[in-house]
Amino acid sequence: MSTVHVFDHPLIADKLTRMRRAETSSQDFRTLLREISLLMGYEVTRDFEMTTGTFETPICSGEFPVLKDNFVTIVPILRAGLGMVDGMLELMPFAHVGHIGMARDEETHEPVEYYYKMPKNVEKSTIVVVDPMLATGGSAIDAINSLKTRGCKNIRLMNLVAAPEGVKRVQESHPDVDIYVAAIDERLNDKAYIVPGLGDAGDRIFGTN
Ligand code: PRP
Ligand code: URA
């Protein structure tokens, strides 16, 4: 079974509270999401493998740590996942970005894939799927299915807010995918929105509500 990492960092918790507040503007919401993504990125990348290289400092030559493999692909689930890309790219400017478009049907709450574009040889990269909301889990499960169908193996999932139901479903469907989340909320409501949550993340990022 996968590991669920729930962040308890004070800065992440405080920023998330500001994002939850209904009066927070789209501009502030986007800024906070970028900042939290960068902070969460530290933990999401903590187990990246290291090796050493020999380099010259101005003083002498020495063996120093470097990332063993810097082929990392950040995969935002459109639209709302886009709000987490800039923070992750600040942390890993060398990363590639692949996109998966998923929209939930408003009646059935089932996700529909409408876009898929990955960097070449993505199956060889470490993949971080990003989406602020993990509600029923349907979008994340289908996005990860899409990647696995194309041969991807080393996948982790980073969300801002999750519902317990969504976490459970992703773990059942993808026991090899670790989940990183800033908060696990109480439940879903009858429209499959997270309670207390922060509303519709895509609408809040892009001002479409
Ligand atoms: C939201 C969110 C997730 C999904 C979560 O996207 O960004 O992708 O819902 O719900 P689930 O876990 O029940 O699948 P939405 O479909 O509203 O699209 P948007 O990002 O374009 O607003
Ligand atoms: N998608 C969102 O943006 N918010 C929710 O609470 C659930 C799904």
Side-chain angles (χ1 to χ4, degrees):
M1 187 56 77
S2 67
T3 305
V4 182
H5 305 258
V6 184
F7 292 78
D8 62 356
H9 196 288
L11 291 180
I12 293 177
D14 179 77
K15 287 177 195 296
L16 175 55
T17 298
R18 286 195 266 158
M19 292 181 73
R20 289 184 190 275
R21 295 178 63 178
E23 69 266 36
T24 298
S25 67
S26 282
Q27 185 180 355
D28 289 344
F29 192 93
R30 283 193 298 271
T31 302
L32 290 161
L33 183 55
R34 179 176 55 74
E35 292 170 353
I36 293 185
S37 303
L38 191 152
L39 293 170
M40 290 179 74
Y42 276 106
E43 280 307 313
V44 174
T45 54
R46 178 175 285 284
D47 65 345
F48 277 13
E49 278 187 66
M50 302 298 293
T51 184
T52 55
T54 307
F55 302 102
E56 297 281 333
T57 76
I59 310 298
C60 67
S61 168
E63 284 270 312
F64 300 103
V66 288
L67 285 173
K68 188 166 178 196
D69 174 13
N70 63 6
F71 188 10
V72 177
T73 306
I74 302 158
V75 178
I77 300 178
L78 307 181
R79 289 175 300 167
L82 288 173
M84 302 179 90
V85 172
D86 285 353
M88 291 293 277
L89 282 177
E90 268 180 57
L91 199 60
M92 295 182 285
F94 52 81
H96 298 248
V97 181
H99 296 85
I100 296 186
M102 289 275 173
R104 289 200 318 176
D105 182 290
E106 297 209 346
E107 300 285 309
T108 65
H109 311 134
E110 289 296 321
V112 179
E113 183 176 307
Y114 61 87
Y115 189 73
Y116 183 92
K117 182 80 179 172
M118 291 296 140
K120 206 166 162 221
N121 299 324
V122 66
E123 70 282 357
K124 298 196 174 93
S125 79
T126 298
I127 295 172
V128 186
V129 175
V130 297
D131 191 331
M133 309 309 278
L134 180 65
T136 65
S139 304
I141 290 168
D142 282 10
I144 295 167
N145 278 338
S146 272
L147 291 162
K148 285 186 174 174
T149 305
R150 274 94 166 184
C152 300
K153 290 186 187 69
N154 187 356
I155 303 171
R156 52 199 76 194
L157 174 66
M158 173 171 143
N159 304 111
L160 190 61
V161 182
E165 298 92 320
V167 172
K168 185 163 175 282
R169 276 190 67 203
V170 173
Q171 282 195 297
E172 284 165 0
S173 300
H174 296 295
D176 56 315
V177 174
D178 279 357
I179 303 171
Y180 296 81
V181 61
I184 300 181
D185 279 7
E186 283 165 29
R187 61 185 170 87
L188 295 176
N189 68 14
D190 58 358
K191 293 195 167 67
Y193 273 84
I194 299 172
V195 180
L198 46 72
D200 188 305
D203 281 348
R204 296 200 63 186
I205 293 168
F206 297 110
T208 45
N209 50 342

